Short mmCIF file of all heavy atoms in Angstrom, two decimals:
data_model
loop_
_atom_site.label_atom_id
_atom_site.label_comp_id
_atom_site.label_asym_id
_atom_site.label_seq_id
_atom_site.Cartn_x
_atom_site.Cartn_y
_atom_site.Cartn_z
N GLN A 66 21.49 -8.20 -3.94
CA GLN A 66 21.77 -9.53 -3.41
C GLN A 66 23.16 -9.57 -2.82
O GLN A 66 24.13 -9.23 -3.48
CB GLN A 66 21.65 -10.60 -4.50
CG GLN A 66 21.78 -12.01 -4.00
CD GLN A 66 21.75 -13.04 -5.12
OE1 GLN A 66 22.77 -13.47 -5.62
NE2 GLN A 66 20.52 -13.39 -5.57
N SER A 67 23.23 -9.97 -1.53
CA SER A 67 24.53 -9.97 -0.84
C SER A 67 25.49 -10.96 -1.51
O SER A 67 25.12 -12.06 -1.84
CB SER A 67 24.31 -10.37 0.60
OG SER A 67 25.55 -10.63 1.26
N PRO A 68 26.75 -10.55 -1.62
CA PRO A 68 27.79 -11.44 -2.18
C PRO A 68 28.49 -12.27 -1.10
O PRO A 68 29.31 -13.12 -1.39
CB PRO A 68 28.78 -10.48 -2.81
CG PRO A 68 28.77 -9.27 -1.90
CD PRO A 68 27.30 -9.21 -1.42
N ALA A 69 28.13 -12.02 0.18
CA ALA A 69 28.89 -12.61 1.31
C ALA A 69 28.25 -13.92 1.78
O ALA A 69 27.08 -14.19 1.51
CB ALA A 69 28.93 -11.61 2.45
N LEU A 70 29.03 -14.68 2.48
CA LEU A 70 28.46 -15.82 3.23
C LEU A 70 27.50 -15.28 4.27
O LEU A 70 27.64 -14.17 4.79
CB LEU A 70 29.57 -16.62 3.89
CG LEU A 70 30.52 -17.36 2.95
CD1 LEU A 70 31.73 -17.92 3.69
CD2 LEU A 70 29.79 -18.54 2.25
N MET A 71 26.49 -16.10 4.61
CA MET A 71 25.44 -15.67 5.49
C MET A 71 25.94 -15.02 6.77
O MET A 71 25.50 -13.92 7.16
CB MET A 71 24.51 -16.85 5.81
CG MET A 71 23.44 -16.51 6.84
SD MET A 71 22.20 -15.36 6.23
CE MET A 71 21.09 -16.50 5.43
N ASN A 72 26.88 -15.69 7.45
CA ASN A 72 27.30 -15.24 8.77
C ASN A 72 28.14 -13.96 8.70
O ASN A 72 28.40 -13.34 9.72
CB ASN A 72 28.12 -16.33 9.45
CG ASN A 72 27.26 -17.54 9.85
OD1 ASN A 72 26.03 -17.55 9.60
ND2 ASN A 72 27.88 -18.56 10.38
N LEU A 73 28.51 -13.52 7.50
CA LEU A 73 29.31 -12.32 7.31
C LEU A 73 28.53 -11.24 6.61
O LEU A 73 29.08 -10.34 5.97
CB LEU A 73 30.59 -12.65 6.52
CG LEU A 73 31.47 -13.75 7.09
CD1 LEU A 73 32.63 -14.05 6.17
CD2 LEU A 73 31.97 -13.37 8.49
N SER A 74 27.21 -11.29 6.73
CA SER A 74 26.31 -10.38 5.98
C SER A 74 26.44 -8.89 6.39
O SER A 74 26.27 -7.98 5.59
CB SER A 74 24.86 -10.80 6.15
OG SER A 74 24.64 -12.10 5.62
N GLY A 75 26.69 -8.66 7.68
CA GLY A 75 26.59 -7.31 8.22
C GLY A 75 27.40 -6.24 7.50
O GLY A 75 26.82 -5.21 7.07
N PRO A 76 28.71 -6.38 7.35
CA PRO A 76 29.52 -5.31 6.72
C PRO A 76 29.07 -4.99 5.29
O PRO A 76 29.03 -3.81 4.93
CB PRO A 76 30.93 -5.88 6.75
CG PRO A 76 30.94 -6.83 7.92
CD PRO A 76 29.57 -7.45 7.92
N VAL A 77 28.72 -5.99 4.50
CA VAL A 77 28.36 -5.70 3.10
C VAL A 77 26.94 -5.07 3.04
O VAL A 77 26.69 -4.18 2.20
CB VAL A 77 28.43 -6.96 2.20
CG1 VAL A 77 29.87 -7.40 2.07
CG2 VAL A 77 27.57 -8.09 2.73
N VAL A 78 26.03 -5.51 3.90
CA VAL A 78 24.71 -4.90 3.92
C VAL A 78 24.83 -3.43 4.31
O VAL A 78 24.21 -2.55 3.73
CB VAL A 78 23.75 -5.65 4.86
CG1 VAL A 78 22.47 -4.86 5.07
CG2 VAL A 78 23.43 -7.04 4.31
N ALA A 79 25.63 -3.18 5.34
CA ALA A 79 25.80 -1.79 5.81
C ALA A 79 26.43 -0.94 4.72
O ALA A 79 26.05 0.26 4.54
CB ALA A 79 26.69 -1.77 7.08
N ALA A 80 27.38 -1.47 3.97
CA ALA A 80 28.02 -0.72 2.90
C ALA A 80 27.05 -0.41 1.77
O ALA A 80 27.02 0.69 1.22
CB ALA A 80 29.25 -1.47 2.38
N ALA A 81 26.25 -1.41 1.40
CA ALA A 81 25.26 -1.20 0.32
C ALA A 81 24.19 -0.16 0.73
O ALA A 81 23.80 0.67 -0.05
CB ALA A 81 24.60 -2.53 -0.02
N TRP A 82 23.78 -0.24 1.99
CA TRP A 82 22.80 0.73 2.52
C TRP A 82 23.37 2.14 2.49
O TRP A 82 22.70 3.10 2.10
CB TRP A 82 22.41 0.33 3.93
CG TRP A 82 21.53 1.29 4.62
CD1 TRP A 82 21.79 1.99 5.76
CD2 TRP A 82 20.17 1.65 4.30
NE1 TRP A 82 20.74 2.77 6.15
CE2 TRP A 82 19.70 2.58 5.24
CE3 TRP A 82 19.32 1.26 3.28
CZ2 TRP A 82 18.47 3.13 5.22
CZ3 TRP A 82 18.06 1.82 3.24
CH2 TRP A 82 17.60 2.73 4.19
N LYS A 83 24.61 2.29 2.84
CA LYS A 83 25.29 3.63 2.85
C LYS A 83 25.29 4.20 1.42
O LYS A 83 24.98 5.39 1.23
CB LYS A 83 26.69 3.51 3.41
CG LYS A 83 27.42 4.82 3.49
CD LYS A 83 28.81 4.62 4.11
CE LYS A 83 29.57 5.94 4.22
NZ LYS A 83 30.94 5.73 4.82
N THR A 84 25.63 3.36 0.46
CA THR A 84 25.65 3.85 -0.94
C THR A 84 24.23 4.18 -1.41
O THR A 84 24.03 5.17 -2.10
CB THR A 84 26.24 2.75 -1.87
OG1 THR A 84 27.60 2.47 -1.44
CG2 THR A 84 26.25 3.18 -3.32
N PHE A 85 23.26 3.37 -1.04
CA PHE A 85 21.84 3.62 -1.41
C PHE A 85 21.39 4.97 -0.87
O PHE A 85 20.76 5.76 -1.57
CB PHE A 85 20.99 2.49 -0.87
CG PHE A 85 19.50 2.65 -1.14
CD1 PHE A 85 18.96 2.45 -2.38
CD2 PHE A 85 18.64 3.02 -0.09
CE1 PHE A 85 17.59 2.61 -2.62
CE2 PHE A 85 17.30 3.19 -0.30
CZ PHE A 85 16.78 2.99 -1.57
N LEU A 86 21.70 5.27 0.38
CA LEU A 86 21.30 6.50 0.99
C LEU A 86 21.94 7.71 0.29
O LEU A 86 21.29 8.72 0.07
CB LEU A 86 21.67 6.52 2.46
CG LEU A 86 20.82 5.70 3.41
CD1 LEU A 86 21.27 5.90 4.86
CD2 LEU A 86 19.34 6.07 3.31
N LYS A 87 23.19 7.58 -0.07
CA LYS A 87 23.88 8.67 -0.75
C LYS A 87 23.22 9.00 -2.09
O LYS A 87 23.27 10.19 -2.52
CB LYS A 87 25.36 8.27 -1.00
CG LYS A 87 26.24 8.38 0.23
CD LYS A 87 27.66 8.03 -0.15
CE LYS A 87 28.62 8.16 1.06
NZ LYS A 87 30.00 7.82 0.71
N ALA A 88 22.61 8.03 -2.71
CA ALA A 88 21.97 8.23 -4.01
C ALA A 88 20.60 8.96 -3.91
O ALA A 88 20.05 9.36 -4.93
CB ALA A 88 21.83 6.90 -4.72
N GLN A 89 20.07 9.02 -2.68
CA GLN A 89 18.75 9.66 -2.51
C GLN A 89 18.87 11.17 -2.54
O GLN A 89 19.83 11.73 -2.00
CB GLN A 89 18.10 9.19 -1.21
CG GLN A 89 18.01 7.69 -1.05
CD GLN A 89 17.37 7.01 -2.25
OE1 GLN A 89 16.29 7.44 -2.73
NE2 GLN A 89 18.01 6.00 -2.76
N GLU A 90 17.91 11.80 -3.17
CA GLU A 90 17.93 13.28 -3.33
C GLU A 90 17.20 13.96 -2.16
O GLU A 90 15.99 13.84 -2.04
CB GLU A 90 17.28 13.69 -4.64
CG GLU A 90 18.06 13.15 -5.86
CD GLU A 90 17.45 13.65 -7.16
OE1 GLU A 90 16.47 14.43 -7.10
OE2 GLU A 90 17.94 13.26 -8.22
#
Side-chain angles (χ1 to χ4, degrees):
Q66 186 183 95
S67 170
L70 292 168
M71 175 66 87
N72 293 356
L73 305 176
S74 298
V77 293
V78 171
W82 174 243
K83 183 178 180 180
T84 299
F85 176 76
L86 285 182
K87 284 183 178 179
Q89 305 310 310
E90 296 183 3

